Amino acid sequence: MSDAPLLAVRGLRKSFGGLQAVRGFDLDVAAGAIVGLIGPNGSGKTTVLNLITGEIAADGGSVRLADQEMAGLPAFRICRSQIARTFQLVRILPGMTTRENVLIGRLFGADPAPLERARRDVDVLLDRVGLADRADQTGAQLTYIDQKRVELARALATRPRLLLLDEWLAGLNPTELQIGIALIRQVRDEGVTIIMIEHVMEAIRALCDHVVVMSAGALIAAGAPDAVLADPEVARVYLGDDDA
Ligand SMILES: Nc1ncnc2c1ncn2[C@@H]1O[C@H](COP(=O)(O)OP(=O)(O)OP(=O)(O)O)[C@@H](O)[C@H]1O
Ligand SMILES: [Mg+2]
């Protein structure tokens, strides 16, 4: 094993018209880590995920996964290179069943399985995320929380080395939050490295080894969760000058 990071992002840039959404973003993620990506609304967090996964093309910079360059590859190739994600605004296929939604990940992700084996693998995943009894319901019939579970199962079905979660814990009630935290921890313990965008600081403290903070498209702080969350500059960007 080398000490090289699993993911190395360098100088990532993206503008939308005159708005610099991401302005020279660097990040190293060690294999096996859970890294929290936090920052106020509009600071560029989701854009960073969209750039890493090839959802949108970067204006510049490099994204290396275990020394393989991802920047410039189409999203499906990045997925097959074992980077998976969930979406801040859930994107499942409403007319397909829970099982079919997750099957897509197993059939078209990294290391695709033949149909019968894929079905069995998907049923194991559905059980794990707590959807076994809703496997035959359509996406449209599911509650919001269950739709988020489908997205997690679909992402895991692609067999990722790196999983990117965009506010996956947002909107959960306190019981669901604890279940969600335990599930994320379990995924990491099974060997998946995780970057999680999250506004729920309880989850950041409970799960993350390392936290990075974005403000206006740039990284402004990084370190252990307790130290970063106690940083006055971090409080200032979250609350605005007047409240700090
Ligand atoms: N496709 C797009 N076209 C134009 N502007 C965009 C696009 N995507 C994001 N932006 C803008 O880029 C900035 C960063 O947005 P982004 O979604 O990355 O923020 P965020 O940190 O994820 O915020 P939030 O916490 O609210 O989800 C915002 O000003 C947003 O309006
Ligand atoms: Mg976002």
Side-chain angles (χ1 to χ4, degrees):
M1 282 290 291
S2 78
D3 292 337
L6 176 67
L7 181 79
V9 177
R10 292 291 178 274
L12 202 58
R13 290 186 291 112
K14 182 68 184 180
S15 293
F16 298 109
L19 175 83
Q20 286 186 287
V22 176
R23 46 177 95 204
F25 182 81
D26 297 341
L27 179 67
D28 278 347
V29 179
I34 302 181
V35 171
L37 176 53
I38 69 171
N41 295 125
S43 54
K45 305 179 298 296
T46 295
T47 303
V48 166
L49 251 59
N50 289 343
L51 294 170
I52 292 174
T53 56
E55 167 97 6
I56 56 175
D59 296 334
S62 139
V63 175
R64 298 184 80 82
L65 181 78
D67 273 339
Q68 196 191 347
E69 182 61 53
M70 298 287 120
L73 295 180
F76 80 93
R77 289 219 177 279
I78 295 175
C79 173
R80 288 182 188 164
S81 301
Q82 296 184 280
I83 298 180
R85 71 171 303 172
T86 64
F87 292 91
Q88 182 169 356
L89 299 174
V90 175
R91 293 191 200 172
I92 65 169
L93 295 161
M96 293 175 86
T97 66
T98 298
R99 183 183 284 110
E100 289 164 346
N101 267 280
V102 179
L103 205 48
I104 291 170
R106 191 69 189 92
L107 292 175
F108 298 105
D111 184 31
L115 188 58
E116 278 318 306
R117 205 181 96 212
R119 280 187 203 281
R120 287 197 298 275
D121 292 347
V122 165
D123 282 347
V124 171
L125 274 174
L126 292 180
D127 191 41
R128 194 164 143 201
V129 301
L131 285 174
D133 59 346
R134 273 145 287 175
D136 298 315
Q137 290 185 16
T138 63
Q141 289 174 311
L142 297 174
T143 63
Y144 184 65
I145 300 309
D146 285 344
Q147 293 187 9
K148 293 190 118 179
R149 289 186 164 115
V150 171
E151 278 214 329
L152 178 64
R154 181 179 62 192
L156 292 174
T158 68
R159 304 267 163 123
R161 275 185 286 179
L162 177 67
L163 174 64
L164 310 175
L165 301 174
D166 197 349
E167 301 196 30
W168 191 73
L169 295 165
L172 304 194
N173 70 35
T175 310
E176 292 164 341
L177 179 63
Q178 294 313 316
I179 294 170
I181 287 173
L183 194 52
I184 293 172
R185 190 177 285 126
Q186 187 196 347
V187 169
R188 190 272 297 274
D189 289 347
E190 288 170 8
V192 180
T193 304
I194 295 171
I195 301 175
M196 52 185 285
I197 297 176
E198 199 50 72
H199 289 294
V200 181
M201 293 306 155
E202 180 187 349
I204 293 286
R205 286 183 199 276
L207 287 169
C208 296
D209 308 293
H210 188 79
V211 177
V212 299
V213 188
M214 287 188 78
S215 176
L219 195 149
I220 59 149
D226 284 344
V228 165
L229 297 177
D231 182 338
E233 174 65 9
V234 173
R236 195 184 64 75
V237 301
Y238 262 99
L239 301 172
D241 285 311
D242 295 343
D243 300 320

